[in-house]
Amino acid sequence: MENIEELSPLRITPTVRALSSALRGKREDVHGSSRVNGDRVFPEPEKLWFKESSAKNLRNRDFLSPTTMLNTLYADGQVPPAVMSRVLSLRGSGVLPVAGGEVMGEGLRVRVDRAATFRAVLAGGAAEYLKPLSQRQGCVVLNCPALHPKPNTPSPDTMSLGQLRTVLLADHMGALLRRQGYAVSFCPTLPEDSEIISFLRALGIDWPTAPANWTNEEREEKIQDSLEKSQYREREMERGRRASGGGGRKAEEGENEGALRINLKQVFQEEGLPGYDPSLGTCTVNRDGVSQLAQLDLSTADCTAAMVTALHVTSCQDEFRQQQIAMLWRASGAKHTQRHLVCGPVKTPGSHLTAAQYLQLRRGQMKEASEMKYGDQVEGQTWDDIIKVMTSATVRFELLSTVHTSPVTLDVKREGGVSTKGPRGGVFVMYNCARLHTLFDSYERGVEKGLYPEIPEDSQLDFSALKEEGEWLLLFNYLIPFSELLEQSGQALDSEGGGARVNIKTEQICKFLVSLSKDFSSYYNRVHVLGEPLPHLFNQMFCRLYLLRALRELYHSALDTLNLPPIRQL
């Protein structure tokens, strides 16, 4: 495949679009919903082809257009020779090179030129495959209500696991959005010497801090003044008329005599903000609410971008209160876009743990599991650091691997719960990342001993030596699609409409890493990468090292979005 290097980086989505265009011919030029030609309805482009992912199917095909799709396009599903020629001669920027195709019982299956694809992706490093497809502009403030004073600064001993989940999710989203070019800030600012900051640092979370004696009183006064002057403020006379409608309400008004009240329903109705709870009604402004608004105001003060989005990451139990805060901020004059990322509860059947107790439990289990596996060597600062990172990885994968709107159920029994063996989330991922580092350390020692030469330039290698199905699986399912995976959170944030809530596939990175680790572990256990030091075997070994070096960087890149440093030895 000539000039394929000039067409890289290769992507899945452009390839599917090009395959659809080739299959549909001129009909692809008509954009819109399903079209009718006579009495035949033509399917949408994204439904014409499917990328294969299972090891079983990848032995026979890389992309498939099912028979049901072919039957909607052509009589009896017979693909005309001219159409087949277009599919087999596919070209274009970002399009994977096609090696062959045939119509079988399940449909039209296409095979990619694997040697050319390996070269295109691995030659010169795979840096382009480890970053988002595009860079976005704008500022995102990640607001975590669980960390706001109510009225005191929260502590690890009072924080629930559901609240911890929202903090970890905000931290993960911050890393993802920064990778996509957004300027990201976090809210609220916390006292630098507080217990909660020490707790967050133990989990690898870098949260903004201020001196213990710092206050935000000036902004609070400004917010209070804005609300008092707000067009949505309920005046005394109007409140009196409403109170006369019922004894209960009248008594309530009497108890809140002189209180500042804002009509939140009027805010989202008049400003055309869909998705807010119609029962929000009227809200009494209190000190805690003003404090949170002042923190939000502070977090957006330095945003110079034209587009500023406040993303409230909250538990389902606190969603109603956070919608109140969002509308109060709007009533005070803030015009920033506000979205709500809502998390399901965290359940611990048979027990009740605070965030501090949960972290202590997992750390103890991680240390015990490490001592059982590695014995007396588990001591000193190096192992303390390893156990800290592995504990953080365990906690993050346990709380972030589930769709954010769904509940998480944890096994918090004192015995078990954390294992250094088997596909058990964070530990398994970190272990396999360490295996890659160990492999390259072994190779470097072999070079020092004169067993192996230095890895040559990619131009000297024949990548057709990568014939193992596991090698193609790692490239096709993980290295190539990673950029598009990174892109998803920004796309969801950009999408208009749909109301106050935003649903982002926040679980994807964790699931990606676990799946990657399963397939890499299977390959690593089956294939002896560092073979006999014989010259005729070096080409294949070097090709594999190129692939695994790119895979190591993929691990680093994905773990970076979880703010987890890689473990280099175990």
Side-chain angles (χ1 to χ4, degrees):
M1 286 290 168
E2 68 279 3
N3 299 326
I4 190 171
E5 293 86 352
E6 299 175 10
L7 301 177
S8 58
L10 304 177
R11 307 293 186 200
I12 300 301
T13 298
T15 302
V16 170
R17 287 175 181 161
L19 285 167
S20 298
S21 180
L23 197 59
R24 296 168 73 106
K26 295 181 179 179
R27 281 187 291 270
E28 184 64 12
D29 298 334
V30 183
H31 182 72
S33 59
S34 297
R35 282 137 279 176
V36 178
N37 185 346
D39 59 355
R40 188 180 296 276
V41 178
F42 295 102
E44 289 303 307
E46 62 272 14
K47 296 181 180 179
L48 276 176
W49 289 89
F50 298 91
K51 173 194 174 294
E52 293 292 0
S53 58
S54 73
K56 178 182 177 182
N57 288 337
L58 283 174
R59 295 190 187 100
N60 302 311
R61 61 195 186 236
D62 298 308
F63 294 95
L64 175 72
S65 183
T67 299
T68 53
M69 295 294 104
L70 299 180
N71 288 337
T72 64
L73 291 174
Y74 305 107
D76 300 323
Q78 297 298 311
V79 180
V83 173
M84 182 63 80
S85 177
R86 284 201 303 267
V87 170
L88 297 181
S89 60
L90 210 60
R91 295 288 187 279
S93 178
V95 176
L96 282 98
V98 172
E102 56 189 340
V103 177
M104 301 294 286
E106 66 271 27
L108 172 55
R109 59 191 195 187
V110 163
R111 298 183 303 280
V112 170
D113 185 333
R114 297 185 175 185
T117 303
F118 274 118
R119 173 169 292 282
V121 176
L122 300 178
E128 288 300 314
Y129 294 86
L130 304 178
K131 59 187 181 182
L133 301 179
S134 59
Q135 288 291 292
R136 289 176 161 80
Q137 295 182 337
C139 176
V140 178
V141 174
L142 288 154
N143 179 41
C144 210
L147 295 177
H148 282 276
K150 299 170 186 176
N152 300 317
T153 302
S155 75
D157 294 318
T158 61
M159 177 180 284
S160 70
L161 296 186
Q163 291 173 324
L164 175 60
R165 185 185 186 189
T166 67
V167 177
L168 290 170
L169 196 53
D171 186 56
H172 178 41
M173 284 300 304
L176 276 173
L177 294 172
R178 280 194 177 117
R179 288 281 289 278
Q180 296 176 57
Y182 288 105
V184 176
S185 59
F186 294 89
C187 179
T189 299
L190 296 171
E192 60 186 4
D193 59 349
S194 60
E195 290 182 0
I196 194 67
I197 282 295
S198 299
F199 175 78
L200 295 179
R201 286 173 179 165
L203 283 167
I205 298 174
D206 183 19
W207 202 268
T209 61
N213 61 352
W214 172 83
T215 67
N216 203 20
E217 290 180 359
E218 187 175 336
R219 289 184 186 275
E220 290 176 9
E221 292 175 3
K222 173 187 166 187
I223 293 290
Q224 183 76 27
D225 184 60
S226 297
L227 289 172
E228 289 175 355
K229 296 176 181 177
S230 173
Q231 69 186 80
Y232 302 108
R233 177 182 179 181
E234 283 207 340
R235 307 299 169 181
E236 295 293 332
M237 186 177 299
E238 181 182 351
R239 288 188 356 217
R241 286 199 302 269
R242 292 192 179 189
S244 64
R249 179 59 183 257
K250 188 172 184 179
E252 178 188 335
E253 292 295 343
E255 291 172 3
N256 291 282
E257 192 73 34
L260 173 60
R261 296 174 63 83
I262 303 294
N263 190 325
L264 304 182
K265 189 171 186 177
Q266 186 182 357
V267 177
F268 65 75
Q269 284 182 337
E270 291 192 4
E271 302 206 16
L273 302 171
Y276 281 86
D277 193 320
S279 66
L280 282 177
T282 300
C283 175
T284 299
V285 178
N286 58 34
R287 182 178 177 182
D288 293 345
V290 171
S291 173
Q292 186 171 162
L293 297 183
Q295 286 273 9
L296 284 164
D297 187 61
L298 173 67
S299 299
T300 56
D302 296 330
C303 293
T304 57
M307 183 65 179
V308 178
T309 301
L311 185 60
H312 305 288
V313 187
T314 185
S315 65
C316 55
Q317 296 95 330
D318 293 334
E319 181 183 11
F320 184 82
R321 174 58 178 160
Q322 201 53 41
Q323 286 202 4
Q324 288 181 316
I325 292 293
M327 288 302 95
L328 279 176
W329 198 28
R330 192 80 176 187
S332 74
K335 298 299 182 184
H336 307 307
T337 300
Q338 297 187 71
R339 308 297 295 275
H340 299 256
L341 190 67
V342 181
C343 295
V346 178
K347 302 177 180 180
T348 54
S351 63
H352 174 76
L353 294 180
T354 65
Q357 291 169 332
Y358 169 58
L359 182 62
Q360 183 181 15
L361 173 66
R362 288 297 185 245
R363 185 188 293 118
Q365 291 172 328
M366 191 68 247
K367 189 173 191 302
E368 182 180 351
S370 299
E371 288 172 343
M372 289 180 64
K373 183 171 184 178
Y374 299 103
D376 294 339
Q377 64 177 299
V378 182
E379 59 181 20
Q381 188 60 49
T382 298
W383 267 102
D384 287 346
D385 293 341
I386 289 174
I387 289 171
K388 176 182 176 181
V389 173
M390 296 290 271
T391 302
S392 179
T394 298
V395 169
R396 287 174 186 267
F397 276 78
E398 283 187 334
L399 295 180
L400 298 181
S401 294
T402 303
V403 176
H404 67 82
T405 53
S406 299
V408 171
T409 301
L410 297 179
D411 176 5
V412 291
K413 293 180 295 187
R414 298 288 165 180
E415 301 297 329
V418 173
S419 171
T420 57
K421 297 180 180 179
R424 297 287 298 275
V427 174
F428 182 64
V429 168
M430 302 303 282
Y431 172 69
N432 278 284
C433 181
R435 293 172 90 179
L436 279 165
H437 284 277
T438 300
L439 170 71
F440 280 93
D441 287 344
S442 298
Y443 167 71
E444 291 298 335
R445 288 195 296 271
V447 172
E448 291 172 2
K449 293 177 181 178
L451 296 176
Y452 306 123
E454 294 282 355
I455 299 180
E457 295 292 326
D458 56 79
S459 59
Q460 301 177 39
L461 298 178
D462 178 9
F463 284 94
S464 64
L466 296 176
K467 298 181 182 299
E468 249 277 344
E469 286 297 327
E471 291 155 358
W472 179 245
L473 194 73
L474 292 170
L475 189 89
F476 193 57
N477 280 355
Y478 301 104
L479 269 168
I480 293 177
F482 183 64
S483 289
E484 294 181 53
L485 180 66
L486 288 178
E487 192 83 358
Q488 290 178 355
S489 55
Q491 290 173 339
L493 205 58
D494 284 346
S495 63
E496 298 181 0
R501 277 193 178 196
V502 58
N503 290 320
I504 301 175
K505 295 179 179 179
T506 55
E507 77 286 355
Q508 292 272 33
I509 293 291
C510 288
K511 288 186 174 181
F512 175 89
L513 279 166
V514 170
S515 181
L516 165 63
S517 297
K518 288 178 181 178
D519 284 333
F520 166 66
S521 180
S522 175
Y523 171 76
Y524 189 83
N525 291 334
R526 189 174 65 253
V527 175
H528 192 47
V529 177
L530 299 180
E532 293 293 321
L534 301 174
H536 71 281
L537 300 177
F538 284 159
N539 176 74
Q540 184 182 59
M541 182 184 76
F542 289 138
C543 288
R544 286 173 170 170
L545 288 175
Y546 262 81
L547 172 63
L548 296 184
R549 184 167 60 185
L551 209 64
R552 182 182 62 182
E553 296 309 309
L554 175 62
Y555 265 104
H556 291 185
S557 187
L559 288 171
D560 188 55
T561 70
L562 293 163
N563 286 321
L564 285 170
I567 297 292
R568 298 179 184 275
Q569 64 179 43
L570 272 178

